[in-house]
Every structure is written in C-alpha cells, then in structure tokens.
C-alpha cells in the first residue's frame, strides 16, 4: 500500500538502521523491440536519449500502458548521505514482475527471477557518496496473451497471477544502511503448549575478522503494556559470513492469537559489541497453533469451522496493489461482518501491508503462490520446477511470521502429471522453511489442490 507504513520489520524508528525510500516518480522506457540491452540503455547518457515517460513506483505498468507484455526499462537518480560511507548498504525491492536486471552507475548489480516477493543486493561499493547515483532496472514482464519469446521466456512460461498484467516495479524500493555486522532475518516459531517463542536469527558479518558480540532477544506486547514479557542474551564469536542462532524465550501466560482476539507480540533482536549497539531488528508475531485432527480444524486446541471467502485482490485503478490501507481495512472488516473467519487470496501472495492488517484485525489467510495450474499454465518447460520453487521458497520466507497465515496452498487444480510430481517435493520445501506446520497432500491428478496443512 502506497500510503501504508510497513510494520513488520521497521514498526518504530530504528535506533541503528537508516532507511531511504526510492518510491516516487521514476522514468520508464517501453522496449517492445527488445533492443535496449544491445544499445546499452543502462548507461545514463544513452538512457537519457530515449523517449521516456513518468511512472509511479510502486505501481503496475499497465496503469499507464494497457495490456503491455514485453520489456521496459526503469531509471532514476538519487543521492545518499556521506555519513553512509563504510556501511553496508542494501538495495531492496519489494517485488518486480517478472525478471529484473539491475545496474547502478553503469555497473551490473544482479538479477532476480520471480514476480511477487522481495530481493536485495549489496551496493555498498558501487554507490557514489558525493554525486548523483543512477539506478536502472530492466524488467521482462509476464507473457500471458502474446505468442513470443523474450530472453528464453515464452507465453505462460512463468508463474503469474491472471488478475491483471502486473508488470514492472509494483512494490516499494528502498536503501537500507547498516553496520558491517547486521541481522539478515528473524523467524519466530511459536510453541503454544510449551509457552515458548523460539527466535531464529540469521546474522551476517561482512568484516574480514571475527567479532565477539552479545545478541539480546526480547519479546513484548505490540499494543498495551510495553513491558518485556521474555528476554535472554547470548554471547558468541561471529566469524566472517553468515551465522544462524536460535533462542527459546518462555512467555508466562501467553495471549493466543485468534480472529476473536488477534493479540500480537514483537520480537526484538539486538547485537551489541561492548557498549555499542550494532544492529536492531523487530518483527511481529502471534502465539497460535493451527492443526488438523480426525478431519477437523483446530486453532489453539479448540475446534474451528473454517468459513472462507475467495479474495481476488484486484483493484479498479491500481490492479494488483490496493490504493490505500483503509481500502483493505474495509475489505477485511466487511468480510468479518459477513461471518467469514478466513480469506483465500487468489493466486498471488498479498503485498505485506495486507498481511499486516490481517494480523491486526484477526482474519485467517491461506498463503498462495502465483501458481495456477489447471490444464494450461504454467507451460511445461525444463525451467518449471526451478521457477515454482522460487515462488514457494520466497513466499514462505517472507510471510512465515504472520500469525494470520494458517497454511500454505501450493498448487491449484492440478491436472497434469508433470505438476503432480512436484507436489510432494514442494511441500517438503515449504515445511523445511516453516517448521511450525506438518503437512499432508490433498488432491490428485485431474482434481483438487495440493495444500500444505498442519497435521498433528
């Protein structure tokens, strides 16, 4: 949501990290002849010579170019504070549909395949601190109606949402500056019966030497009393590279999340060296357990009847992205008023602010990647398994802290054996990333869905 502040990882002013939004007006060049790469449009002097239009980021490019299925180039300039010198600076995209190639100051940065989930690049050594920076993103959108091939991608070759041609940079872009030791990811695994929140942390050390640090874990209520309800500390030696660390925090008398009482906690993780706070990271979570026993659903040990509604997530003017937070708030509240306790977003992971509101307002969500099968799409190519795995892996990693997401529905209407063969493998992938659920496979070739559901 353009007007909705993301609350998951930066819910309050971060005392260490500095964040710069790159949302706003960008320039876009539509490239239906796919000649931009050969002509080096990623160089500013050449980019500036092309016929450009203005486009808002985030937005779907179909908002300004109806039914466009091809290549487009995005560009913009920006400056960064000189105080960021020596820091790690990550360029983070919320989602770009479908394949994105990135250049900064005429230097190739990297690429990402997958249209609905975040990705990032370390641009610390490419940025200029005393001059303007020029950022370019070449995007190949999903090919849905046109029989053509672009850089090896053909019609319906990639997982996509059929609600609209949601091509381009359709979620937010930002720069995040940290110290050379920083928290890469936090995942909270609730253990309701044991009254535990197990906090899993991935820490990155970009220095060339090891560092002795203390990692402080805290859990507090999101609303109401800000009292810390659980806390622990670990002292470790961080070697260069990635370190995975877990801590179990006991929460006395935990308040369980449910649609009737959507209570949220905040997990805060801090890295301290001596007296210096090096990094600080927050994520919300809920203490809840969703299981199946004897063919019935149970939420926090109590039997629940799932009253689910189909949620298209298609908006009249902005297509895939809601116009504002209040629009979504009204949608969810109307669904609850009508008696629903669950919503099934139609074949795309909702933008994170939508899940934030689902967490807060108390509506259960079925997590769906953009994999619509039936008997036509995606096309059966040698890249199929790789592309499906990208969407599932990155969706689960992005959304697994949301208590509103009660299970993962990985496929829809599987009618072809090549897709049916992937169901078990993809279920195991999702389970490895989100151990709060066990799994069962539902559906068979020709009928039904493959769902990843809790099983006690």
């Amino acid at each position: 949501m353009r007007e909705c502040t993301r609350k998951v990882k930066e819910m309050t002013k971060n005392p260490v990290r500095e964040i710069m939004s790159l949302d706003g007006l960008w320039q876009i060049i539509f490239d239906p002849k796919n000649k931009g790469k050969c002509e080096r449009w990623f160089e500013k002097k050449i980019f500036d010579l092309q016929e450009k239009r203005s486009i808002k980021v985030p937005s779907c490019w179909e908002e300004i170019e109806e039914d466009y299925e091809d290549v487009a180039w995005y560009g913009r300039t920006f400056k960064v504070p000189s105080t960021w010198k020596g820091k790690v600076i990550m360029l983070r995209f919320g989602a770009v549909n479908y394949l994105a190639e990135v250049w900064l100051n005429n230097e190739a940065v990297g690429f990402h395949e997958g249209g609905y989930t975040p990705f990032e690049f370390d641009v610390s050594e490419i940025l200029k601190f005393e001059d303007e920076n020029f950022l370019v993103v070449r995007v190949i959108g999903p090919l849905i109606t046109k029989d053509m091939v672009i850089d090896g991608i053909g019609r319906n070759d990639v997982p996509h949402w059929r609600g609209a041609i949601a091509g381009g940079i359709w979620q937010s872009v930002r720069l995040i500056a940290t110290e050379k030791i920083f928290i890469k990811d936090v995942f909270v695994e609730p253990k309701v019966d044991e009254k535990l929140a197990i906090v899993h942390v991935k820490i990155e050390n970009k220095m060339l030497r090891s560092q002795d640090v203390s990692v402080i874990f805290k859990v507090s209520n999101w609303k109401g009393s800000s009292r810390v309800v659980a806390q622990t500390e670990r002292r470790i030696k961080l070697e260069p590279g990635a370190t995975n660390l877990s801590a179990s925090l006991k929460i006395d008398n935990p308040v369980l999340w449910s649609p009737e009482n959507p209570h949220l906690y905040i997990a805060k993780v801090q890295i301290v060296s001596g007296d210096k706070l090096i990094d600080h990271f927050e994520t919300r979570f809920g203490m809840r357990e969703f299981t199946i026993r004897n063919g019935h659903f149970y939420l926090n040990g109590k039997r629940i009847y799932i009253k689910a509604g189909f949620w298209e997530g298609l908006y009249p003017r902005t297509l895939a992205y809601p116009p504002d937070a209040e629009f979504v708030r009204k949608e969810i509240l109307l669904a609850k008023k009508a008696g629903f306790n669950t919503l099934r977003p139609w074949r795309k992971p909702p933008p994170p602010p939508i899940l934030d509101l689902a967490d807060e307002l108390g509506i259960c969500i079925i997590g769906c990647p953009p994999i619509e099968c039936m008997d036509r799409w995606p096309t059966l190519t040698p890249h199929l398994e790789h592309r499906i795995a990208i969407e599932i892996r990155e969706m689960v990693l992005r959304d697994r802290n949301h208590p509103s997401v009660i299970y993962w529905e990985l496929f829809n209407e599987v009618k072809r054996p090549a897709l049916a063969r992937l169901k078990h493998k993809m279920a195991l992938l999702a389970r490895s990333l989100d151990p709060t659920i066990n799994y069962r496979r539902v559906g068979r070739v020709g009928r039904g869905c493959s769902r990843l559901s809790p099983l006690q």
Side-chain angles (χ1 to χ4, degrees):
M1 261 155 269
R2 298 185 179 105
E3 309 301 329
C4 181
T5 302
R6 176 166 165 77
K7 299 172 183 175
V8 177
K9 294 176 183 174
E10 289 84 32
M11 291 173 287
T12 59
K13 184 174 175 58
N14 195 299
V16 183
R17 297 183 170 206
E18 296 183 74
I19 300 170
M20 176 188 295
S21 173
L22 295 181
D23 291 351
L25 281 182
W26 289 51
Q27 298 298 307
I28 188 170
I29 307 168
F30 291 103
D31 185 14
K33 295 183 179 179
N34 193 20
K35 61 182 183 178
K37 189 178 283 190
C38 291
E39 296 182 0
R40 303 178 67 84
W41 289 3
F42 52 84
E43 295 183 14
K44 188 176 189 307
K45 63 182 180 181
I46 301 176
F47 185 94
D48 287 344
L49 294 175
Q50 311 308 313
E51 183 179 344
K52 299 179 290 295
R53 296 163 64 182
S54 294
I55 187 170
K56 289 182 180 179
V57 169
S59 72
C60 305
W61 67 32
E62 199 179 8
E63 292 181 38
I64 67 168
E65 188 68 21
E66 185 178 356
D67 296 336
Y68 187 73
E69 299 179 50
D70 224 304
V71 179
W73 295 72
Y74 287 76
R76 66 157 294 166
T77 58
F78 62 92
K79 291 185 176 181
V80 294
S82 59
T83 54
W84 282 15
K85 262 186 192 176
K87 292 182 177 289
V88 173
I89 304 169
M90 305 301 293
L91 172 62
R92 183 176 177 85
F93 293 87
V96 180
N97 198 13
Y98 169 75
L99 191 146
E101 297 176 320
V102 181
W103 288 262
L104 180 61
N105 298 328
N106 301 341
E107 299 252 4
V109 173
F111 80 98
H112 177 263
E113 185 173 0
Y116 300 86
T117 46
F119 59 97
E120 62 187 17
F121 305 107
D122 185 343
V123 294
S124 313
E125 298 181 7
I126 306 176
L127 283 167
K128 299 175 183 177
F129 296 93
E130 296 164 5
D131 200 355
E132 281 193 334
N133 294 276
F134 180 57
L135 176 62
V136 172
V137 184
R138 176 180 181 258
V139 183
I140 303 175
L143 298 175
I144 301 172
T145 66
K146 293 184 177 180
D147 271 324
M148 56 192 300
V149 177
I150 304 174
D151 293 11
I153 297 175
R155 181 180 180 182
N156 290 322
D157 281 0
V158 304
H160 63 78
W161 171 63
R162 288 184 295 123
I165 301 171
I169 307 175
W170 70 284
Q171 293 189 33
S172 290
V173 185
R174 56 186 175 171
L175 293 166
I176 305 172
T178 68
E179 299 296 331
K180 290 188 180 294
I181 292 176
F182 60 95
I183 298 161
K184 187 81 171 175
D185 184 54
V186 173
F187 167 47
V188 184
E189 182 182 354
K191 296 280 190 180
V192 171
D193 289 344
E194 302 171 55
K195 300 180 180 180
L196 289 177
I198 303 176
V199 183
H200 305 280
V201 182
K202 183 176 183 179
I203 302 172
E204 193 80 24
N205 179 5
K206 292 252 181 181
M207 299 194 302
L208 299 178
R209 64 181 187 278
S210 61
Q211 179 81 21
D212 292 320
V213 300
S214 293
V215 183
I216 301 169
F217 301 82
K218 297 179 182 179
V219 171
S220 58
N221 294 302
W222 177 58
K223 279 189 175 180
S225 170
S226 59
R227 178 179 64 89
V228 174
V229 299
Q231 180 173 340
T232 190
E233 181 175 339
R234 295 282 186 84
R235 295 183 180 180
I236 62 170
K237 181 184 289 289
L238 286 177
E239 300 296 337
T243 297
N244 294 310
L245 184 66
S246 298
S248 296
L249 284 79
K250 184 83 170 181
I251 302 176
D252 293 328
N253 302 313
V255 181
L256 304 184
W257 185 96
S258 70
E260 297 73 31
N261 183 29
H263 185 86
L264 295 170
Y265 290 97
I266 300 178
K268 303 179 182 180
V269 182
Q270 296 179 324
I271 302 176
V272 177
S273 179
D275 295 329
K276 182 181 179 181
L277 177 62
I278 297 176
D279 199 15
H280 175 99
F281 192 103
E282 299 181 3
T283 187
R284 294 192 313 188
F285 72 98
M287 293 294 290
R288 69 102 178 90
E289 180 184 57
F290 184 76
T291 60
I292 296 174
R293 291 200 303 270
N294 302 320
H296 300 293
F297 295 108
Y298 289 81
L299 180 64
N300 302 326
K302 296 180 180 178
R303 186 172 167 183
I304 180 174
Y305 187 80
I306 297 294
K307 292 174 276 188
F310 179 90
W311 195 6
E312 179 69 39
L314 178 62
Y315 300 93
R317 295 184 180 178
T318 57
L319 305 178
Y321 210 88
D324 55 56
E326 289 310 308
F327 196 107
V328 176
R329 183 182 297 273
K330 184 177 180 180
E331 284 187 294
I332 293 174
L333 291 177
L334 283 172
K336 292 193 70 172
K337 187 176 181 180
F340 294 103
N341 57 20
T342 304
L343 292 174
R344 180 195 184 213
W346 178 238
R347 309 321 302 171
K348 78 174 186 299
I354 292 179
L355 294 179
D356 290 340
L357 285 169
D359 292 342
E360 296 169 21
L361 298 174
I363 194 83
C364 297
I365 297 291
I366 297 170
C368 301
I371 303 169
E372 298 183 68
C373 299
M374 295 196 267
D375 57 359
R376 287 190 289 168
W377 45 76
T379 310
L380 303 181
T381 74
H383 302 277
L384 177 68
E385 180 177 339
H386 170 71
R387 288 170 175 158
I388 286 177
I390 288 173
E391 301 292 352
I392 291 173
R393 179 185 299 107
E394 295 185 356
M395 174 191 69
V396 174
L397 288 174
R398 191 196 73 171
D399 296 341
R400 58 188 179 174
N401 281 329
H402 288 282
S404 57
V405 179
I406 55 173
Y407 70 86
W408 308 108
E409 180 189 73
L410 303 184
F411 294 88
N412 177 65
E413 299 187 33
V414 178
K415 294 185 177 182
R416 291 171 291 169
L419 287 161
R421 287 195 294 270
L422 295 176
K423 291 196 298 182
H424 183 64
K425 184 182 289 188
M426 294 301 120
L428 291 177
L429 170 62
R431 187 187 182 195
S432 72
L433 301 170
D434 182 5
T436 65
I437 54 177
N438 290 308
Y439 72 95
R440 70 171 185 170
R441 291 186 297 154
V442 180
R444 57 184 174 83
V445 179
R447 184 178 179 185
C449 308
S450 175
R451 293 188 172 94
L452 194 67
S453 303
L455 181 66
Q456 189 165 334

